[in-house]
Amino acid sequence: MKKLWTKAGVLSSASIAFCSMLWSQKNSLYELKLVQVLFRHGARTPLKSIPDVLEAQWVPTLLEPPAHTHINYVVTDLNGGPRPAAPVEDSYRRNTLTGGTYPGQLTTVGMQQLYELGKRLRRKYIEEIPFLSPTFSPAEVYVRSTNIVRTIESAKCLIAGLFQQKQKDIVHILTTEAESEILYPNYHGCKLLKIVGSHRWAESSTLPDIAADLQSIQEALGIAAHQNVDFILIRDDMVARETHGLPCPSVLSTWRNKVEQRAVDMICHVFEPSKRENLQLCVGLLLHTLLTNFEEKLQGTSSESNRKLLLYSAHDTTLMPCLMALGIFDKTWPPYAADITLELYQHRQTSEAFVKLSYIGQDQLIPGCSGVYCPLREFKQALSAYTLSSDTYQSLCNSTGGVTEP
């Protein structure tokens, strides 16, 4: 597994700046054709609280939306019909955190984070180069979200920042039912992923080093042995508290780096990036979709010929396997509002296509690419081991090969 992390050819800041400077000097020869942004939602309430420790007060005033994030929007299914049922969101609302709010809800801090991401995109694609219209246009911008309130609201806030609340048309945020979602590893809709994922999740806390550290931190925090906790749960609550300035158990400060390390160790075990099939099942269909969007734009076969920006509001568990498949995961948990941005360029004379990918605003050199501006053919080859068409994905999901649930 170590090879996977070290092979990621992340250039130094100076090298990337130099490459970008050289490119900018000749960018009159290159036309920006399409931008796709895959981003994590903003800061939220924790999914679960660490048991048996000092509780934070997650009060409703932490969720108040800033006035500048308001836009006129509607949530629909992929065909413009009513929003589908949301079983994941319903599961959050069966529980209440201390203070009176639900788990997993976007906070005021999170709303502002996505508004700021929208402003960053505005600076780049409206102010620095006139790529997008300064007012929201559904012909230019496609907005897609998982069917969970925090990602829907994150998309809304990004749009508010990007267009400064200027819109002639209502913003349609498209989503789909849980069984067919491609914007996260779909344990609901992929039978094989559910089985394999259940095994890997069950194993992740029992790995010797992780289990020993977990026992130590439980004892240090005074968490009863029978409580069902793991490092991902502890990290989730810890980071949520820190982000919102809420009190943490003092002992956690000495454990902070270990909690981060072990949470990443757990998620790496779950996604098991050394096995191609696991990442295929997690994000193969999403990666295929991103590449198809590029191809359709170049070939002029898209049903929306004027589309310039595609936004995908998703989760940390979306970004991590994508970063692993790209070979650029640095074993650091993606922060709230982290983004993977993919730009498609075309040479005005030769028509050759290039892709430039950035993560949290930093250009990345993808292993297998000859430069930061990666020829599309090289980019497709770099991802070819992980992309899956819909038919292949469904076939793989249904081929359980005698594997049974734990």
Side-chain angles (χ1 to χ4, degrees), residues 32-324:
L32 181 60
K33 303 290 289 185
L34 187 69
V35 178
Q36 303 186 78
V37 186
L38 178 68
F39 57 94
R40 186 188 179 195
H41 56 78
R44 54 159 170 75
T45 58
L47 300 181
K48 291 182 180 179
S49 293
I50 304 171
D52 300 339
V53 301
L54 171 70
E55 293 186 333
Q57 295 292 318
W58 295 99
V59 295
T61 53
L62 291 171
L63 312 184
E64 293 176 355
H68 56 264
T69 64
H70 289 213
I71 61 168
N72 187 14
Y73 75 103
V74 63
V75 182
T76 73
D77 68 11
L78 298 182
N79 298 311
R83 179 188 171 193
V88 176
E89 188 66 38
D90 292 343
S91 71
Y92 295 142
R93 293 170 188 264
R94 287 194 285 269
N95 302 290
T96 304
L97 298 169
T98 303
T101 59
Y102 296 120
Q105 302 305 298
L106 192 70
T107 62
T108 307
V109 172
M111 296 171 197
Q112 185 64 31
Q113 288 173 328
L114 267 296
Y115 182 82
E116 293 297 329
L117 176 57
K119 285 176 63 178
R120 170 155 68 83
L121 297 176
R122 178 182 179 83
R123 283 193 296 273
K124 184 165 188 182
Y125 301 116
I126 295 177
E127 296 173 358
E128 293 178 6
I129 58 170
F131 180 64
L132 295 173
S133 302
T135 299
F136 174 81
S137 166
E140 285 189 351
V141 183
Y142 172 86
V143 189
R144 173 79 161 82
S145 173
T146 62
N147 193 17
I148 297 173
V149 171
R150 65 177 175 273
T151 50
I152 292 169
E153 291 182 344
S154 291
K156 177 206 78 167
C157 294
L158 186 153
I159 290 290
L162 175 55
F163 295 103
Q164 296 295 288
Q165 299 176 293
K166 294 177 182 176
Q167 57 183 120
K168 293 178 181 177
D169 300 280
I170 191 168
V171 176
H172 285 74
I173 300 177
L174 278 60
T175 188
T176 192
E177 62 275 0
E179 290 74 17
S180 59
E181 185 57 81
I182 68 169
L183 293 184
Y184 49 62
N186 195 331
Y187 300 100
H188 300 281
C190 180
K191 187 176 181 181
L192 180 57
L193 183 59
K194 180 181 179 182
I195 294 172
V196 173
S198 296
H199 279 287
R200 304 297 292 182
W201 275 106
E203 289 174 351
S204 62
S205 285
T206 65
L207 300 174
D209 290 346
I210 293 176
D213 283 340
L214 184 60
Q215 182 179 350
S216 296
I217 195 173
Q218 282 192 241
E219 292 172 355
L221 289 169
I223 301 173
H226 70 272
Q227 293 283 12
N228 185 22
V229 298
D230 59 45
F231 278 108
I232 292 176
L233 182 157
I234 293 171
R235 182 197 178 277
D236 186 73
D237 191 9
M238 177 182 75
V239 171
R241 293 181 191 224
E242 291 174 349
T243 303
H244 297 91
L246 296 177
C248 274
S250 57
V251 70
L252 259 185
S253 61
T254 60
W255 277 89
R256 197 191 190 292
N257 291 341
K258 182 63 71 174
V259 169
E260 289 282 357
Q261 175 195 340
R262 291 308 187 199
V264 171
D265 289 343
M266 284 184 65
I267 209 70
C268 288
H269 184 78
V270 171
F271 290 140
E272 201 177 8
S274 60
K275 289 192 176 178
R276 183 178 77 166
E277 184 180 89
N278 289 1
L279 292 181
Q280 287 179 322
L281 292 172
C282 288
V283 291
L285 194 48
L286 171 57
L287 295 173
H288 176 80
T289 300
L290 298 175
L291 289 176
T292 299
N293 292 339
F294 280 156
E295 291 287 358
E296 289 182 349
K297 186 66 177 179
L298 291 170
Q299 295 166 9
T301 56
S302 171
S303 58
E304 299 288 345
S305 58
N306 294 321
R307 188 145 285 158
K308 295 182 176 182
L309 175 66
L310 294 92
L311 299 170
Y312 296 95
S313 186
H315 305 266
D316 48 5
T317 50
T318 314
L319 268 62
M320 283 188 281
C322 284
L323 294 169
M324 291 172 185

